[in-house]
Amino acid sequence: MNPNLPQSTLLQPFQSLSIPPTTASLDFGREFAAGKAPEEIVSIINRTLESYGSCKIKSFSLFFGPLDMFLSDIENWIEFAISQVVEELNLDFSMGWSDPPWNEEFNIEDYVMKLPTSLYSCESSTHLSLSHTDFCPLANFCGFDHPQFLSLRHMKITEGALPSILSKCPLLISLSLRDTHSTESIRVFSPELLLERLEIIRCGYTTEFRILAPKLKSFIFNSGLFFDDDSFADISSLEDAFVNSIEFEAWEPEDDYVKIISDLSHVKILTACMTTLRFYVCKEFDAENLAVKLPNLRELQILMDLMSSYTLEVPYSFLWFCEAPLLEKLFIQLTTAPEDSEYNNIDLQEPPGVPFNQLKVIKLSSFKGGNNEMRLVKFLLERAPVLEKMLIVPAPKALLKEDIISNELKSELPLLPKASPQATIVLCEHSSEEDDEALIPTHKELYCEF
């Protein structure tokens, strides 16, 4: 063999040989399916699986529609993945889905894929994600032994199946329930549970809610339900919580969410919406009973419905009564709607002392410069003796009839009195300021999603 020949020439005789891999990741997701007809998708998948018959499938992702003419193909794909000891299984049957009308005639069975019974015997998957399917395990269902991450989205869940799933997933670390139905009872109740993250998102109306998960670190909630004294039996390890009840405000009494704020008082990161906090503007309750003690809180994000005319009295009052001695970052998403003139003169007495001794960063988004917004700015500046930066982001011009951030306001903001001599007030007109990691809230992606 001539040692002077280039390496590509030396390898030419072997390049035509096809050596099947021992493991593979098969991604037939949204990017793969884009622009392809169902018949083309089916043909490509079938040919691909034939060439991977003897190899272990590490991950298998599918984005397809539950078309009757291809049901046997879909079942064969799922059975193939399970037989190849798949570790990560993502099945999304939302192709062609459009949100159905929510009325008495709506039957979710007409919109979801019925899973083959082979799925319920899957023993290898550590990651299981199901979207737009039913979940009706057989009576002898023994649970999934290995899932650490379980995501159920747009699901029809048989009554009683959810507690069965949780009780039979001993290694479960993350559980996500999104747009699921028949979840009137949500019980995550086991002192041995390893669960660290729980998401309950748009799951309708839940009448029973119980959590006993001593290792839970992250709780994400965007739905409607009743909280009571027994809702949180043990969440002692919880570090961050996202509680958004916008669009669900008509489903619960005002005091339900006050109870949840009390139960979450030990968290380090908290996001709460104006509906969750509205109890704190009720004048019939005295300030002593309304005191909010958040001794471990480092980051607080307050959300307002962008298009709502809800008064700024809600976040203003909550911050007035809030005792958060370790708070370092405060984010407030303001509404883009005009101010409610009825509340231009908020009557609150001066609180004793300085409540935000560690507050270093404040960010106000969708700022319009009205009287109440300016009063909120002044209030915060007076209560933050070590503040380093207040970033003010104007409301998007596309949502406003005119540019209401005047030159006069721009010159007025830096001159406002402040407790911190080193504090700077920045009116953000460039995205570079918003891209600063110190100015990005932990739950930004969740808020953008909702």
Side-chain angles (χ1 to χ4, degrees):
M1 184 177 290
N2 188 347
N4 296 320
L5 289 175
Q7 186 176 9
S8 60
T9 303
L10 292 172
L11 295 177
Q12 275 182 355
F14 304 98
Q15 287 178 345
S16 61
L17 297 178
S18 177
I19 303 176
T22 56
T23 62
S25 295
L26 302 179
D27 186 1
F28 304 112
R30 289 176 179 269
E31 186 174 342
F32 160 79
K36 295 183 179 70
E39 293 81 3
E40 183 182 3
I41 293 174
V42 171
S43 177
I44 294 174
I45 294 178
N46 285 336
R47 290 200 310 269
T48 302
L49 297 190
E50 287 179 4
S51 63
Y52 284 90
S54 61
C55 96
K56 176 182 176 181
I57 305 301
K58 184 176 181 181
S59 68
F60 182 90
S61 298
L62 175 66
F63 175 68
F64 196 57
L67 303 175
D68 291 343
M69 61 187 299
F70 299 122
L71 288 181
S72 61
D73 292 282
I74 296 173
E75 291 183 1
N76 289 337
W77 301 338
I78 297 174
E79 291 174 359
F80 169 84
I82 294 172
S83 67
Q84 304 305 102
V85 199
V86 64
E87 295 179 13
E88 181 176 341
L89 183 60
N90 305 304
L91 303 177
D92 183 348
F93 297 103
S94 63
M95 179 184 285
W97 168 275
S98 59
D99 289 334
W102 293 104
N103 53 46
E104 294 180 357
E105 298 179 357
F106 167 66
N107 183 5
I108 194 170
E109 292 183 357
D110 298 333
Y111 295 85
V112 299
M113 167 73 187
K114 187 177 171 109
L115 293 170
T117 56
S118 59
L119 179 72
Y120 301 111
S121 62
C122 180
E123 298 180 353
S124 59
S125 294
T126 59
H127 294 63
L128 181 59
S129 176
L130 305 175
S131 179
H132 293 74
T133 72
D134 67 357
F135 199 94
C136 305
L138 301 175
N140 60 351
F141 174 62
C142 297
F144 302 113
D145 290 336
H146 295 88
Q148 299 175 17
F149 301 87
L150 179 61
S151 174
L152 306 178
R153 184 166 189 164
H154 274 290
M155 300 281 290
K156 177 197 174 185
I157 302 179
T158 305
E159 185 176 354
L162 184 59
S164 175
I165 296 170
L166 298 178
S167 65
K168 297 170 182 176
C169 292
L171 303 180
L172 193 62
I173 295 175
S174 175
L175 172 63
S176 177
L177 302 174
R178 294 180 175 227
D179 302 287
T180 61
H181 303 267
S182 299
T183 53
E184 289 84 358
S185 175
I186 296 179
R187 294 178 63 88
V188 183
F189 212 81
S190 173
E192 293 81 26
L193 200 63
L194 301 177
L195 193 68
E196 295 182 1
R197 181 178 176 87
L198 175 62
E199 294 184 353
I200 302 172
I201 298 172
R202 295 183 300 269
C203 288
Y205 177 64
T206 304
T207 57
E208 182 185 26
F209 184 72
R210 298 284 183 272
I211 295 182
L212 191 157
K215 292 180 171 54
L216 190 68
K217 294 181 179 179
S218 181
F219 175 61
I220 311 301
F221 173 79
N222 179 61
S223 197
L225 54 79
F226 287 125
F227 295 99
D228 56 37
D229 292 338
D230 298 323
S231 290
F232 294 100
D234 185 354
I235 52 171
S236 54
S237 296
L238 195 65
E239 296 180 357
D240 79 272
F242 178 97
V243 184
N244 181 24
S245 50
I246 292 175
E247 297 184 359
F248 294 96
E249 55 265 58
W251 292 16
E252 77 289 323
E254 290 177 333
D255 58 349
D256 289 329
Y257 286 97
V258 172
K259 177 65 173 64
I260 197 175
I261 294 298
S262 175
D263 288 332
L264 301 175
S265 63
H266 60 290
V267 300
K268 296 178 181 179
I269 300 169
L270 175 63
T271 294
C273 71
M274 62 179 188
T275 306
T276 303
L277 304 176
R278 65 184 179 183
F279 179 84
Y280 295 95
V281 304
C282 297
K283 295 297 188 296
E284 61 266 27
F285 296 93
D286 58 75
E288 182 178 352
N289 291 331
L290 282 175
V292 186
K293 299 183 185 295
L294 303 169
N296 301 321
L297 195 66
R298 265 70 169 181
E299 177 183 318
L300 173 63
Q301 183 178 203
I302 299 177
L303 307 178
M304 299 187 71
D305 187 344
L306 286 179
M307 304 309 295
S308 171
S309 60
Y310 215 98
T311 173
L312 258 180
E313 191 178 16
V314 172
Y316 188 87
S317 299
F318 179 79
L319 292 170
W320 195 283
F321 295 116
C322 182
E323 297 180 17
L326 301 182
L327 184 66
E328 297 177 356
K329 298 181 180 182
L330 174 62
F331 304 93
I332 303 179
Q333 173 65 61
L334 302 167
T335 176
T336 57
E339 282 190 0
D340 192 333
S341 58
E342 180 182 351
Y343 295 99
N344 278 338
N345 297 307
I346 302 172
D347 183 19
L348 293 173
Q349 296 181 354
E350 193 74 12
V354 181
F356 304 126
N357 286 315
Q358 302 298 321
L359 187 57
K360 297 178 181 179
V361 174
I362 300 174
K363 181 177 179 180
L364 303 177
S365 301
S366 296
F367 187 80
K368 303 177 298 300
N371 291 337
N372 280 338
E373 288 183 347
M374 289 299 294
R375 185 171 182 184
L376 179 62
V377 168
K378 295 175 183 177
F379 166 78
L380 294 172
L381 290 174
E382 293 172 358
R383 301 300 188 276
V386 298
L387 185 69
E388 297 174 0
K389 177 182 283 188
M390 173 180 281
L391 181 65
I392 296 178
V393 183
K397 292 182 180 180
L399 299 177
L400 302 172
K401 294 182 179 179
E402 57 182 89
D403 186 0
I404 57 178
I405 307 298
S406 63
N407 290 329
E408 181 180 350
L409 179 60
K410 293 178 182 178
S411 60
E412 178 186 353
L413 284 170
L415 302 178
L416 292 175
K418 45 188 180 286
S420 173
Q422 72 269 21
T424 58
I425 304 175
V426 179
L427 187 64
C428 176
E429 298 184 5
H430 304 284
S431 60
S432 58
E433 286 284 357
E434 287 199 86
D435 292 337
D436 185 343
E437 289 188 5
L439 300 169
I440 299 177
T442 300
H443 297 139
K444 179 182 178 180
E445 291 185 4
L446 287 166
Y447 174 69
C448 292
E449 177 184 355
F450 301 142

